[in-house]
Amino acid sequence: MLSTVISAAIYAQPYDMVLAHGRVIDPASGLDAVRYVGIRGGKIAAISESPLAGVTVLDVSGLVVAPGFIDLHSHGQTPENYRFKARDGVTTALEMEVGVSPVPEWYRAREGRSPINFGATSGHLPARMAVTHDTGTLVPRDTAKRASTPDERRQTFDLVRRGLDDGGLGIGMGIAYLPLATRAEILELFGLAAQRKTAVYVHMRNGGPVEPGVIDALQEVIADAAVTGASLHVVHITSMGLRETSLCLQMIRGARARGLDVTTEMYPYTAGMTDIGSAIFDEGWQAKQGGIGFGDLQWALTGERLTADSFARFRRQGGMVAVHSIPEEVVRMAIADPLTMIASDGILENGKGHPRAAGTYARVLGRYVREEHALTLMDALRKMTAMPADRLGIQSKGRIAVGADADITVFDAARVVDRATFENPAQYSEGIPYVLVNGILVVKGGELVEGVQPGRPVRR
Ligand SMILES: [Zn+2]
């Protein structure tokens, strides 16, 4: 009798929060229906067709309730960036391409201080920069032009390995930023990833149509994955592939059909952005970027288009430059391809940077799903949730399922849109009224909730 009373009392206990009467879309299960979602202890505890009792009940009628977006390529890992990510519906932002080194210090600096979940790979570039005392910030600047000595190569490898042992989410690699890194050195790192049963996230050695270009660069990393057994994730396929993107996707499809674990991602913009002082702008960059010129480069700090003169000046100084090199039809084709995940590659610094840092996810949902019908809402959400979670091998994220982490993005499919532009990138996306991270609201009524830090580290 007593036990019946107790279980009845537990049964009647309301959920911490209930999202009431929203259109739940969960690409992992295929669910697309009106449901009540009960949240307890930071987890999704119930998904019900009938009303649930909650301490807090949010009426989300007419809104989409989706798994929180997982950004695999988020260089911006500061409070400023996390705010823009949250307003764009991102609940987990990961620095996978460049990665970090040393790993423990990086996690420690963010624990208990982040509104959204965070994580990083063990990075080859930062490890190599530490060993050679390079003065670059995100990517190498002054030691990219020489190969590593055998001793530097060994020290770099040891740092990358230590980063994996310390919980790094895989190996981050930017071969294009170390053009003299030998193929043997890169292969050795793939071997390390395979040994630890993890993935390499790679910015390939070359891009564009002119050889050495994107095709042989993709052949290099697919071959390395094949011979070592490492999983491979190729970053920003459109900015590397340009007009060869379709062939690149065909190659990745072929590799997958033969049993290799190869995935890829893209951002929904026709321009990339990188450091003008980096090896990307070595002699011959115009042809390598598909035949662009100085006027296709845009200085992030001022928004001005470059000339031969300003290019030379800024190259000596270093800094972020937008590269308008990706044809719109390539973006449209790639976004509709079931292989591509959405990832921002974004970073903002004092409000300056590429609009992708603030607008990537709302732009896909507003522009490419609603306005251009380039893909369905379900397919778009899959690219932002279940696919990146599967790439990470994390089953507790990227889905609306009982037991999953309560990372949830609630948006208005009729209104969601990006506002960030190349001239003014620090503008929040619109039409995303609620974002929950581990069951806590970080966006409420379309505004950031101040003083909440529910973000947790994502580790291996
Ligand atoms: Zn990159």
Side-chain angles (χ1 to χ4, degrees):
M1 186 62 197
L2 185 62
S3 71
T4 311
V5 171
I6 290 168
S7 68
I10 291 168
Y11 186 75
Q13 204 168 49
Y15 296 97
D16 300 340
M17 187 179 298
V18 171
L19 301 177
H21 210 258
R23 177 186 170 191
V24 174
I25 303 185
D26 177 50
S29 64
L31 178 69
D32 180 353
V34 172
R35 290 287 185 272
Y36 294 77
V37 178
I39 295 158
R40 185 179 284 148
K43 304 274 183 194
I44 295 171
I47 301 164
S48 165
E49 288 181 48
S50 47
L52 300 169
V55 175
T56 305
V57 177
L58 290 179
D59 179 5
V60 292
S61 305
L63 301 173
V64 173
V65 176
F69 308 149
I70 301 171
D71 188 352
L72 292 180
H73 196 149
S74 193
H75 296 302
Q77 293 283 339
T78 61
E80 176 190 14
N81 281 278
Y82 292 150
R83 296 167 72 87
F84 283 94
K85 301 310 304 182
R87 286 288 306 270
D88 200 29
V90 173
T91 54
T92 301
L94 308 173
E95 163 55 283
M96 304 299 272
E97 179 209 41
V98 170
V100 302
S101 185
V103 167
E105 282 84 337
W106 186 89
Y107 275 98
R108 216 171 292 136
R110 287 161 181 80
E111 250 167 282
R113 294 180 195 158
S114 173
I116 61 174
N117 303 310
F118 53 90
T121 54
S122 176
H124 178 231
L125 290 179
R128 209 273 191 170
M129 287 165 71
V131 168
T132 58
H133 307 289
D134 193 283
T135 62
T137 45
L138 189 62
V139 296
R141 183 163 298 162
D142 38 40
T143 68
K145 299 293 188 306
R146 63 175 184 79
S148 299
T149 65
D151 199 42
E152 287 169 345
R153 177 172 154 182
R154 188 188 47 76
Q155 286 181 48
T156 301
F157 182 88
D158 287 347
L159 281 182
V160 174
R161 183 175 52 198
R162 195 179 312 157
L164 284 179
D165 294 341
D166 290 335
L169 288 167
I171 297 178
M173 219 185 265
I175 312 174
Y177 295 101
L178 288 172
L180 298 181
T182 64
R183 283 161 177 78
E185 179 178 353
I186 299 305
L187 177 61
E188 187 180 35
L189 288 161
F190 271 78
L192 174 61
Q195 197 186 64
R196 302 301 161 97
K197 297 189 167 28
T198 190
V200 173
Y201 294 76
V202 66
H203 179 142
M204 297 182 286
R205 189 179 292 277
N206 290 297
V210 180
E211 293 200 4
V214 73
I215 302 302
D216 49 273
L218 185 52
Q219 286 170 343
E220 177 187 12
V221 292
I222 289 175
D224 288 356
V227 300
T228 60
S231 295
L232 166 64
H233 182 80
V234 178
V235 303
H236 47 53
I237 194 68
T238 49
S239 66
M240 302 305 289
L242 305 178
R243 292 199 183 277
E244 311 297 311
T245 298
S246 167
L247 181 51
C248 293
L249 291 171
Q250 218 176 297
M251 289 168 69
I252 293 172
R253 221 180 307 281
R256 291 171 63 85
R258 279 146 196 87
L260 297 186
D261 179 13
V262 185
T263 54
T264 192
E265 61 169 55
M266 63 175 292
Y267 44 77
Y269 293 88
T270 53
M273 181 171 282
T274 194
D275 188 338
I276 197 171
S278 75
I280 302 287
F281 292 101
D282 286 353
E283 201 61 36
W285 59 268
Q286 295 97 324
K288 283 188 152 301
Q289 299 285 334
I292 60 170
F294 295 111
D296 296 308
L297 304 182
Q298 189 177 16
W299 191 238
L301 279 181
T302 59
E304 72 186 273
R305 296 286 179 145
L306 298 196
T307 61
D309 280 355
S310 56
F311 175 83
R313 193 168 69 245
F314 289 138
R315 179 140 163 92
R316 281 191 296 275
Q317 167 190 335
M320 287 296 173
V321 68
V323 186
H324 294 270
S325 60
I326 311 165
E328 174 65 33
E329 60 266 33
V330 168
V331 174
R332 277 190 57 120
M333 175 277 297
I335 215 166
D337 192 296
L339 271 187
T340 57
M341 302 179 201
I342 303 301
S344 75
D345 194 9
I347 182 168
L348 285 178
E349 225 178 320
N350 301 318
K352 299 295 182 185
H354 189 301
R356 64 194 177 189
T360 287
Y361 293 83
R363 183 175 176 82
V364 171
L365 298 172
R367 181 182 167 113
Y368 289 98
V369 174
R370 184 180 61 241
E371 292 171 11
E372 302 204 356
H373 307 288
L375 71 174
T376 65
L377 189 50
M378 178 70 85
D379 287 343
L381 291 173
R382 181 178 299 110
K383 292 165 179 278
M384 305 171 174
T385 60
M387 285 172 73
D390 289 350
R391 168 73 289 169
L392 293 162
I394 296 175
Q395 295 307 305
S396 60
K397 292 198 183 296
R399 52 253 306 143
I400 301 288
V402 172
D405 298 336
D407 297 339
I408 300 173
T409 294
V410 179
F411 65 92
D412 182 344
R415 278 190 55 238
V416 62
V417 77
D418 60 311
R419 290 285 177 228
T421 62
F422 284 94
E423 287 68 34
N424 187 3
Q427 299 194 81
Y428 292 124
S429 294
E430 288 179 5
I432 305 179
Y434 300 106
V435 178
L436 289 92
V437 174
N438 296 305
I440 306 293
L441 283 166
V442 298
V443 173
K444 185 181 179 185
E447 300 289 335
L448 287 161
V449 180
E450 298 299 334
V452 294
Q453 322 284 350
R456 294 200 192 128
V458 180
R459 286 197 183 86
R460 211 159 74 86

